[in-house]
Amino acid sequence: MTDLILSLDVTDRSEALRIAAAVAPEADAIKVGYPLVLAAGLGIAHDLAELGLPLIADFKVADIPNTNTLICEQVFAAGFSAVIAQGFPGPDSVLACVDAARAAGGECYVVAEMSHPGARTFFSEGVPERLCAIVAETGADGIIAPATRPERVRALREQVGTKKILSPGIGAQGGDPAAIAALVDGMIVGRSIYGAEDPAAAARAYAPYRR
Ligand code: NUP
């Protein structure tokens, strides 16, 4: 049993606010990324924060430490409560995100392994495990791991222990909530909720797997 995190990847401001308000009672957090922020502006974060749910910035921050700090300061000032960073730039870059999160009372998650088919090209051969080591070293709050590959989530759980695992790839990418919910702390679901005719009803379908 786990949290349900709405991935709000729509590119129309009023549609985003309408879907978020409808789904909020059925969800535990909202994740926003480049599609919505580039379309509607960073100010959308303040509007969404009013719904009272944690707000995760999926910007996959992946720069030098100083730039990561500057990015994350803007993220938290905008009203987000957590940020997602890439781990491959190395521990100092991740630590910059973790420090900025801590300074704002927020959280930082690191992508350990991505959910799409092509992710196998570079997120392989021990790399995800090394990224989990960076999570431990920097004190990040947890990882992003693929719902499309539950066996990999199981392996990465051994690496991160009680740190949180948030897992995208359920629904549109083929991941099955029944197979993944018990392994993770958060199910990240986008298209199969926001793309449904009745997003609130689509979100309610995940209720049996929620904490
Ligand atoms: O490995 C990842 N896979 C993934 O799908 C890491 C991510 N952050 N995501 C994001 O999760 C992706 O960018 C999208 O915002 C969401 C999944 O959406 P959907 O496939 O449920 O529509």
Side-chain angles (χ1 to χ4, degrees):
M1 293 299 169
T2 181
D3 284 349
L4 177 63
I5 302 167
L6 168 66
S7 184
L8 193 56
D9 298 319
V10 297
T11 52
D12 179 85
R13 181 189 168 79
S14 52
E15 189 189 0
L17 294 174
R18 178 179 58 76
I19 292 171
V23 172
E26 323 294 339
D28 303 289
I30 298 174
K31 182 180 80 65
V32 171
Y34 293 114
L36 179 54
V37 165
L38 291 177
L42 191 55
I44 191 83
H46 272 302
D47 296 328
L48 291 171
E50 281 175 18
L51 293 169
L53 294 179
L55 201 58
I56 303 169
D58 188 359
F59 294 155
K60 300 187 183 69
V61 184
D63 217 308
I64 62 168
N66 184 65
T67 306
N68 277 4
T69 300
L70 295 171
I71 292 170
C72 291
E73 284 173 354
Q74 294 302 315
V75 163
F76 289 106
F80 285 98
S81 50
V83 70
I84 296 174
Q86 291 284 15
F88 56 74
D92 50 352
S93 289
V94 171
L95 185 59
C97 297
V98 172
D99 285 346
R102 294 288 171 267
E107 293 184 318
C108 176
Y109 293 88
V110 176
V111 177
E113 183 169 331
M114 295 189 74
S115 58
H116 59 305
R120 288 181 183 278
T121 307
F122 291 113
F123 289 100
S124 61
E125 294 173 26
V127 169
E129 285 76 4
R130 289 171 67 188
L131 293 168
C132 289
I134 288 178
V135 167
E137 180 183 337
T138 57
D141 296 276
I143 61 168
I144 307 298
T148 48
R149 293 190 282 280
E151 75 287 356
R152 290 294 304 147
V153 174
R154 240 179 242 112
L156 295 176
R157 170 59 77 196
E158 303 222 329
Q159 302 290 316
V160 298
T162 58
K163 285 191 188 281
K164 289 190 209 164
I165 300 181
L166 309 185
S167 194
I170 294 163
Q173 295 179 53
D176 175 6
I180 205 76
L183 305 176
V184 302
D185 302 278
M187 302 177 286
I188 296 173
V189 184
R191 285 165 286 178
S192 80
I193 294 178
Y194 71 71
E197 205 164 304
D198 182 345
R204 268 195 296 279
Y206 290 92
Y209 310 106
R210 268 175 87 198
R211 231 188 285 278

